[in-house]
Amino acid sequence: MSEIFDYKSAPELIRVENLHKDFGSLKVLSGITETIHKGEVVSLIGASGSGKSTFLRCLNRLEEPTSGHIWFNGVDIADKSVDIDLHRQKMGMVFQHFNIFPHMSVIENITLAPIMLKKKSKDEAVAQAEALLQRVGLFDKRDNKPSRLSGGQKQRLAIVRALAMEPEVMLFDEPTSALDPEMVGEVLEVIKSLASDGMTCVIVTHEMGFAREVCNRVFFMDEGVIREQGAPHQLFDHPQHPRTRDFLSKVL
Amino acid sequence: MLQNTLMLAQKYSMNFINGLGVTLYLAFISVALGCVIGAFVAIIRLSKNKVLGTIAAVYTEIVRDTPLLLQLYFFYFLLPDMLPALRLTDFTSIAVALVFNSGAYMAEVFRSGIQSIDRGQTEAARSLGLSSSQTMMRIILPQALRNVLPAMCNEFVTVTKETSLASTFFIGDLMTQHSIIKGKTYLVIEPLIIIGIIYFVITFTMSKLIAILERKLSTDE
């Protein structure tokens, strides 16, 4: 699939321009400029501390950028006067530690935001949530409390919770890092099926095999910049930059 | 003494029952309204607004760092003077003082409850598009409330005992009944024993109920 998708001809969805993020005196992102197109599946790889999670979290402003622009559908959402809550509805996010709401049932986790923010009727939201649960094989858990779910089930729930808002892009922050090894596969399967349905995805991951198989492009991050980027076969098989080669030799 | 005690318990049973009613009523108002105030104050303290946050911090610190009896005196004399139009009864002034006091303690309880909720919960809610107040109301507070429920009940036990200080102002609580009965019968120790037993039974029972509640909450997790 990475071979046939010509991302450059797809309309652009997110354009990042000279993005900087400092934590005090520590520079975590030092000027990122990059465009992500509709339908692209991008993975961010790099050593820990390279800024990949921070970059992802800046995209929906869970981290406030220190400077720079993030154009999302033509609006600069890095602008502090923008109502970010409105744009976040269009950007789903999945976290390393799932962050399921433990005081709500499985189905309530999914229907909460659509009912509150999209003014969906309860019936409509429940029907949609049931279809989503069906899709990720959790339908029989619909009335359970999340504490009864395994890690993999929680993460699948987190994914459909985000999907229920019908986002235009899904941001994944190390979605399988907190999972027991035997559960990684089931979560990656779900992400893969999203990708093949044309959902734009940005994925911070350590799963190099997955990045190679599913993504259109891979960004290698290093010291707060995108050191090298390209199609997976190109980046993994013919890395240009010595830092990329160095990193890949350690993880592959 | 035993005979006298039994005699008093019988003869003045209505005094003790009324006194217990007033005590529980006072404790209940203090904690119930204190909870509402406490939740607000805690949210303000944790908000980004520096001015309001400082006011909230000053309030909680003043209450926590001065004696309750002093606060009671303060409200008892100050409130009717400040708001003569309301024609506050002694009971109301004291009740307000107790609410003021318990609000500050509840604020600290809520603050620790809110802070005990993982940051990821806020992030997940905000990433879905919920505003910060929606996140507070639907995600953080319900979980925090559940976490602080035992502490809240403990506060109820504490306040129940502390209302005895309000008897300084003769407002009809259990401890006030002691003064009344003492005045009528010239017996000091006997009414104390009865009142002591009542306080003990009430608070002991509540503590046991709280322990059960705590166990139930932890198994529900």
Side-chain angles (χ1 to χ4, degrees), chain A residues 47-61:
Chain A
S48 61
S50 60
K52 51 194 194 306
S53 271
T54 307
F55 175 45
L56 189 80
R57 290 160 57 83
C58 277
L59 291 180
N60 67 352
R61 263 175 61 192

Side-chain angles (χ1 to χ4, degrees), chain A residues 66-105:
Chain A
T66 307
S67 68
H69 304 280
I70 300 164
W71 304 89
F72 177 58
N73 276 330
V75 180
D76 183 6
I77 57 171
D79 181 344
K80 297 245 188 324
S81 65
V82 160
D83 182 2
I84 188 65
D85 295 339
L86 229 51
H87 296 282
R88 280 180 180 150
Q89 294 184 23
K90 297 269 140 225
M91 311 174 102
M93 189 163 205
V94 174
F95 301 84
Q96 182 178 358
H97 295 288
F98 331 130
N99 301 345
I100 293 303
F101 306 135
H103 59 304
M104 297 178 180
S105 69

Side-chain angles (χ1 to χ4, degrees), chain A residues 110-131:
Chain A
I110 304 173
T111 57
L112 172 84
I115 293 174
M116 276 181 90
L117 305 173
K118 298 191 87 167
K119 306 296 171 212
K120 284 204 173 174
S121 73
K122 197 173 172 219
D123 292 343
E124 213 181 329
V126 167
Q128 181 206 21
E130 285 176 346

Side-chain angles (χ1 to χ4, degrees), chain B residues 42 48 60 121 213:
Chain B
K48 284 184 194 137
T60 45
Q121 291 289 308
L213 177 76

Side-chain angles (χ1 to χ4, degrees), chain A residues 71-190:
Chain A
W71 304 89
F72 177 58
N73 276 330
V75 180
D76 183 6
I77 57 171
D79 181 344
K80 297 245 188 324
S81 65
V82 160
D83 182 2
I84 188 65
D85 295 339
L86 229 51
H87 296 282
R88 280 180 180 150
Q89 294 184 23
K90 297 269 140 225
M91 311 174 102
M93 189 163 205
V94 174
F95 301 84
Q96 182 178 358
H97 295 288
F98 331 130
N99 301 345
I100 293 303
F101 306 135
H103 59 304
M104 297 178 180
S105 69
V106 165
I107 195 122
E108 285 166 343
N109 263 278
I110 304 173
T111 57
L112 172 84
I115 293 174
M116 276 181 90
L117 305 173
K118 298 191 87 167
K119 306 296 171 212
K120 284 204 173 174
S121 73
K122 197 173 172 219
D123 292 343
E124 213 181 329
V126 167
Q128 181 206 21
E130 285 176 346
L132 286 167
L133 286 173
Q134 203 73 265
R135 175 174 176 176
V136 296
L138 289 174
F139 184 75
D140 56 324
K141 308 282 183 203
R142 50 165 294 176
D143 296 317
N144 284 23
K145 276 277 151 86
S147 54
R148 317 235 156 179
L149 301 183
S150 72
Q153 291 171 330
K154 280 184 187 162
Q155 196 60 302
R156 282 184 277 157
L157 170 59
I159 293 172
V160 291
R161 176 177 67 180
L163 286 178
M165 288 301 285
E166 293 157 0
E168 293 177 32
V169 57
M170 287 285 286
L171 311 173
F172 294 89
D173 191 0
E174 301 197 21
T176 58
S177 298
L179 293 173
D180 291 334
E182 75 271 22
M183 293 171 183
V184 170
E186 64 192 63
V187 171
L188 292 183
E189 271 317 305
V190 174

Side-chain angles (χ1 to χ4, degrees), chain A residues 27 33-34 55 70-71 133 140 206 213 220 230 232 243:
Chain A
K27 289 194 183 314
T33 300
E34 193 50 68
F55 175 45
I70 300 164
W71 304 89
L133 286 173
D140 56 324
H206 296 293
E213 182 189 355
F220 169 67
R243 300 283 300 202

